[in-house]
């Protein structure tokens, strides 16, 4: 639980780090979320260990977290104000390839669609119905409601409706997922996926699909994936900020903390971030109640739940 | 035509700078586009001169350019692959307020909707049909086709269809609009609005509504608005990059040129940017064939078309 600082890695080593979102974690969910992150990291590690690419590794990790119903991404996504699911996801590699999708209704694996946008190469970001039309070219269809909405998401939505009939609720973040990886050839990638903020307006786009905000990769320095109050993360371009701190020589743990400090200034919001540097060093920081995470560097794994009271 | 470098201004002075997009400009359009920019700058200047805010000034300027059918924003927007108009716009102030809308069908004044998103305050970016539902709360409806599609946009679309039946066309940028302003109280704002890339996929979101890419403001340093190949601008966060160059002490003209150099590296794209610093200094740069622009600093106006062959 104290892995906030950096851990150094040797050159030529592979590494993956995963987060399961920064936010309030209800009673007894720590172990579920920690183990979900550990399994996601293991899936990414299997790719990297066999010589696969960083982008394949982050996609494998994030797809797993989209499948696990306990995270707010893919299955398990929160419901928006209209009681619907709309998802956001984005990814980037160290050769500046970016693919992202935003406010797409009822997608189980938005990270797959983001990757198709990246591979298509014509655009960087597709939103809404247009993104869905693009998905259909690849045989990807919206999922039926019963495959995506969990009892927890339904209960959260019902509670919101009961509590705040006027729509003046707070922006409670939670359980966005993300991953950063370094492959044996020195390639870097970052990916982020989310159902967004509970009770968000239809069409709302958070930080997760936005380069610089929810994710950022710089070939010379490292990769980052952020989570938390999306609007605050956009206002400070938190992932870009973390990499800028690496660029001026800060260690990876300081870079993560600096980005979180920027998100958390008064009147903004709260959040967390994972940062991976070029030598496999990992930085974690969060100003939220809790952020589950897991990492595997050259075969050595670690995982936990970063808690505010442990900072 | 040689105003690429910075022009210094005194503290406590107001300033506005406007661009009409970086891209190819057809025969005989220079004067039309230059005078459109000059009128937009004059409308913003009228706000600033009477003590109005930077955000009111950039909105007045951009709304004018959205009305002029010669620019690719609002009326005059290019058609997407499906023959429809979808617009993007975003704005930001020096107190980190951001509002943006993306891929919204048939809006005449997307910058007005972006401002409503900013003033609502709950979210930063709304896309697609959800953004339109939000617009309707304020009585804003999609415009009829005949009020927005110009003969030029129709001809461009027809030519595209005739030329590239397979959809393998290049990403020709063009005629996005933007403005940056400094008000008498030292407030800064930037705003950008566009119809996007001709023949873009439905749902495509370019740089214009994305903080850091199409626009950025930093209270300590300045404001920027970018135009050009949207995907390239996103990959280098061009507006954020220009302000980062101001931050490390570069003059405003060098900051503009540095951002354009980043956009224009091989394999990326082309573009232009306007940068306004805290003392009213203005930097312009473009790697495209031409970028019309206009500025007024403390009552002294200038305007022109920045051409690649003049650089």
């Amino acid at each position: 639980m104290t892995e906030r600082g950096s851990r150094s890695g040797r050159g030529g080593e592979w590494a993956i780090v995963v987060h399961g979102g920064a936010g309030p974690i209800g009673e007894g969910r720590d172990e579920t979320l920690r183990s979900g992150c550990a399994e996601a990291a293991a899936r990414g590690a299997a790719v990297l260990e066999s010589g696969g690419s960083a982008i394949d590794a982050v996609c494998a990790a994030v797809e797993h977290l989209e499948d696990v119903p306990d995270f707010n991404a893919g299955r398990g996504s929160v419901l928006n104000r209209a009681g619907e699911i709309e998802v956001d996801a984005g990814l980037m590699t160290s050769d500046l390839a970016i693919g992202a999708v935003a406010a797409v209704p009822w997608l189980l694996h938005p990270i797959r669609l983001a990757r198709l946008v990246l591979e298509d190469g014509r655009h960087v970001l597709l939103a809404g119905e247009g993104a869905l039309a693009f998905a259909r070219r690849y045989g990807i269809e919206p999922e039926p409601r019963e495959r995506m909405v969990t009892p927890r998401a339904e209960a959260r939505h019902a509670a919101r409706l009961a509590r705040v009939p006027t729509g003046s609720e707070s922006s409670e973040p939670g359980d966005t997922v993300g991953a950063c990886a370094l492959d044996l050839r020195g390639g870097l990638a970052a990916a982020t996926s989310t159902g967004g903020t509970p009770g968000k307006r239809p069409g709302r786009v958070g930080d997760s699909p936005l380069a610089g905000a929810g994710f950022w990769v710089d070939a010379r320095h490292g990769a980052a994936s952020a989570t938390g109050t999306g609007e605050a993360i956009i206002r400070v371009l938190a992932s870009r900020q973390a990499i800028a701190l690496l660029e001026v020589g800060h260690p990876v743990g300081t870079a993560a903390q600096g980005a979180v400090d920027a998100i958390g200034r008064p009147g903004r919001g709260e959040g967390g971030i994972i940062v991976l540097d070029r030598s496999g060093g990992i930085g974690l920081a969060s100003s939220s109640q809790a952020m589950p995470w897991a990492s595997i560097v050259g075969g050595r794994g670690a995982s936990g739940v970063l808690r505010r009271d442990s900072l």
Side-chain angles (χ1 to χ4, degrees), chain A residues 16 40 43-44 47 53-66 90-93 109-116 118-119 179-181 189-192:
Chain A
I16 183 160
R43 294 192 181 204
V47 171
S53 66
I55 188 173
D56 283 342
V58 294
C59 285
V62 167
E63 282 187 27
H64 175 71
L65 294 169
E66 287 174 339
L91 77 170
M92 181 170 184
T93 68
H109 286 300
I111 200 69
R112 283 187 196 160
L113 188 60
R115 180 151 186 186
L116 289 167
L118 182 151
E119 288 172 354
C180 300
T192 307

Side-chain angles (χ1 to χ4, degrees), chain A residues 44-133:
Chain A
V47 171
L48 296 168
E49 198 157 29
S50 61
S53 66
I55 188 173
D56 283 342
V58 294
C59 285
V62 167
E63 282 187 27
H64 175 71
L65 294 169
E66 287 174 339
D67 268 328
V68 175
D70 300 284
F71 296 96
N72 174 19
R75 191 194 322 277
S77 286
V78 297
L79 303 178
N80 69 11
R81 188 171 293 203
E84 304 286 319
I85 284 178
E86 289 184 338
V87 294
D88 294 344
L91 77 170
M92 181 170 184
T93 68
S94 41
D95 54 4
L96 292 190
I98 303 177
V101 295
V104 195
W106 298 103
L107 275 197
L108 183 55
H109 286 300
I111 200 69
R112 283 187 196 160
L113 188 60
R115 180 151 186 186
L116 289 167
V117 171
L118 182 151
E119 288 172 354
D120 174 66
R122 175 144 162 75
H123 298 314
V124 155
L125 173 56
L126 296 179
E129 291 297 324
L132 202 52

Side-chain angles (χ1 to χ4, degrees), chain A residues 98-188:
Chain A
I98 303 177
V101 295
V104 195
W106 298 103
L107 275 197
L108 183 55
H109 286 300
I111 200 69
R112 283 187 196 160
L113 188 60
R115 180 151 186 186
L116 289 167
V117 171
L118 182 151
E119 288 172 354
D120 174 66
R122 175 144 162 75
H123 298 314
V124 155
L125 173 56
L126 296 179
E129 291 297 324
L132 202 52
F134 179 76
R136 289 191 166 114
R137 295 160 51 110
Y138 297 91
I140 299 172
E141 292 285 340
E143 295 290 324
R145 188 176 190 93
E146 60 274 17
R147 277 203 71 194
M148 286 191 72
V149 178
T150 57
R152 186 163 162 272
E154 288 276 26
R156 211 166 168 180
H157 185 61
R160 224 197 108 258
L161 290 179
R163 197 170 66 236
V164 282
T166 60
S168 62
E169 72 286 12
S170 68
S171 293
E172 173 195 300
D175 309 348
T176 292
V177 307
C180 300
L182 169 69
D183 65 36
L184 283 170
R185 291 178 299 283
L188 287 158

